[in-house]
Amino acid sequence: MEAVTRNFFLFLSKNNLLNDMAKKRGSSIVTGKIIAGTDFPSSVQIIKDLNSKGLTTTVDHLGEFVNSEETANKRTKEAIQTIETISRENLDSHMSVKMTSLGLDISRDLVFRNMTSILDTAEKHGVMVTIDMEDEPRCEKTLELFKQFKESYSCVSTVLQAYLYRTEQDLKELSVLKPFLRLVKGAYKEPASVAYPDKKDVDANYKKLIEQSLKSGVYTAIATHDDGMIEYTKELAAKLQIPSDQFEFQMLYGMRSKTQLDLVQQGYKVRVYVPYGRDWYGYFMRRLAERPANISFAFKGMVKG
């Protein structure tokens, strides 16, 4: 049943008609619930409120798979402005970007040029930029770019997905760079030739990757809403005597808000993934596909007063 639910929401995430309708009519429903705002300036106060509660954030302008150079350059300019605003407003926040929004599918030169401009600004202001991971066909290109940028910049990090067979080896190769890594289960529909099809296998690999990353000394962000995975990480960190400044938990804005605050009270660092923008529909459907429990979390978030 879980596989059926996942496939259903992944199917919906690619429906262009529903996506267009969501952009035009649905933004007001989800703003302040599962997205912070339709642009970054309108999101700043929500980030400040989260910071005041002891939560740090990473912000993400929703949208991907850009197919025009003009749009990619526009997204780059917006990302630079976001970094400058984070610095000016003294926000405790990172920024996440998708390579496809900066021109990955158009040309390597374009995405490299755009990302270089963003990282030049990030380095100047001391704001970490996380290169989000997308579907498997773009994984190799994304990691190649990350490795190249890591040679020149300190304010760059990336994401690894537990449902891919390749990730254990990717983690081994990246560990020598001592990067900031976010570990996730994965949210795209992938064939069994490249990804574990069964949840139990994804969960087992996720635990293996968490242990591998913590033991290697890599700063590790465990991005999950799964109580079992959270408890596993806490117990593992205690067993391995991993200091609390060597890892953090990451959760989505509008979901598990009480759990986020509880973890902060227990002394753990929690980073909230705060999306903004009008292109929220695909993001939201993939979050529902990741874990059935997210459906109830999202509903509670959207109806809260």
Side-chain angles (χ1 to χ4, degrees):
M1 182 63 185
E2 184 168 311
V4 174
T5 302
R6 174 182 170 81
N7 289 336
F8 174 69
F9 283 113
L10 288 175
F11 170 77
L12 291 180
S13 74
K14 297 180 180 179
N15 188 296
N16 291 330
L17 176 61
L18 292 176
N19 191 29
D20 289 342
M21 290 175 60
K23 285 182 185 179
K24 294 175 182 177
R25 305 178 184 178
S27 297
S28 61
I29 299 173
V30 297
T31 296
K33 310 293 185 180
I34 59 171
I35 66 170
T38 55
D39 56 22
F40 190 65
S42 66
S43 307
V44 168
Q45 188 55 54
I46 281 177
I47 296 167
K48 288 183 175 179
D49 291 344
L50 291 169
N51 287 169
S52 71
K53 298 174 182 176
L55 298 162
T56 186
T57 69
T58 185
V59 298
D60 177 27
H61 185 183
L62 295 173
E64 54 199 273
F65 307 129
V66 166
N67 54 19
S68 80
E69 185 170 342
E70 179 183 4
T71 303
N73 291 338
K74 180 180 178 182
R75 285 296 181 90
T76 300
K77 183 178 179 180
E78 291 169 347
I80 290 171
Q81 292 171 341
T82 295
I83 293 169
E84 292 172 341
T85 301
I86 288 172
S87 177
R88 184 175 61 252
E89 297 287 344
N90 198 30
L91 304 177
D92 187 354
S93 185
H94 294 176
M95 184 181 75
S96 294
V97 295
K98 288 182 172 61
M99 292 292 90
T100 53
S101 73
L102 305 180
L104 181 66
D105 291 347
I106 301 171
S107 78
R108 193 184 190 283
D109 287 344
L110 176 62
V111 70
F112 186 86
R113 183 171 68 249
N114 283 339
M115 191 63 185
T116 297
S117 297
I118 290 170
L119 291 177
D120 283 343
T121 306
E123 207 79 4
K124 175 183 175 182
H125 293 287
V127 175
M128 179 68 75
V129 176
T130 298
I131 299 175
D132 273 344
M133 192 55 66
E134 301 177 71
D135 54 354
E136 192 276 337
R138 295 172 175 86
C139 182
E140 184 66 28
K141 291 180 181 178
T142 300
L143 290 180
E144 286 179 357
L145 284 164
F146 170 71
K147 290 172 185 176
Q148 188 168 356
F149 287 127
K150 193 72 176 70
E151 293 176 359
S152 304
Y153 299 97
S154 60
C155 291
V156 61
S157 60
T158 194
V159 181
L160 293 178
Q161 299 165 311
Y163 69 170
L164 296 180
Y165 302 137
R166 60 172 292 161
T167 300
E168 184 176 0
Q169 182 60 35
D170 286 334
L171 179 54
K172 288 178 182 178
E173 294 177 4
L174 291 178
S175 293
V176 298
L177 302 176
K178 297 301 179 186
F180 179 126
L181 286 180
R182 180 197 303 157
L183 299 181
V184 303
K185 290 186 180 180
Y188 292 86
K189 184 173 176 59
E190 308 284 7
S193 58
V194 300
Y196 294 102
D198 296 329
K199 179 182 181 299
K200 63 180 178 59
D201 294 323
V202 176
D203 287 350
N205 198 45
Y206 196 22
K207 289 181 177 180
K208 182 193 296 185
L209 295 171
I210 292 170
E211 181 172 4
Q212 179 181 336
S213 188
L214 290 177
K215 282 183 174 179
S216 71
V218 168
Y219 185 93
T220 307
I222 298 93
T224 182
H225 293 161
D226 187 328
D227 287 326
M229 207 63 69
I230 292 169
E231 290 305 312
Y232 169 80
T233 302
K234 289 159 67 173
E235 292 171 6
L236 181 65
K239 176 183 176 182
L240 299 177
Q241 297 185 315
I242 304 295
S244 59
D245 61 359
Q246 191 62 39
F247 69 98
E248 65 184 47
F249 292 106
Q250 293 191 4
M251 296 186 185
L252 303 174
Y253 174 65
M255 301 186 191
R256 306 303 309 266
S257 298
K258 183 179 183 302
T259 300
Q260 294 169 16
L261 295 175
D262 288 345
L263 286 169
V264 170
Q265 288 295 315
Q266 294 167 22
Y268 296 102
K269 185 170 185 176
V270 178
R271 187 175 305 278
V272 183
Y273 189 94
V274 181
Y276 65 92
R278 297 185 181 277
D279 199 9
W280 59 271
Y281 173 79
Y283 155 82
F284 185 46
M285 290 298 110
R286 287 195 297 274
R287 299 295 79 76
L288 298 185
E290 277 182 298
R291 186 165 178 256
N294 284 349
I295 300 172
S296 63
F297 299 149
F299 179 76
K300 291 175 183 176
M302 290 173 70
V303 301
K304 68 182 179 183

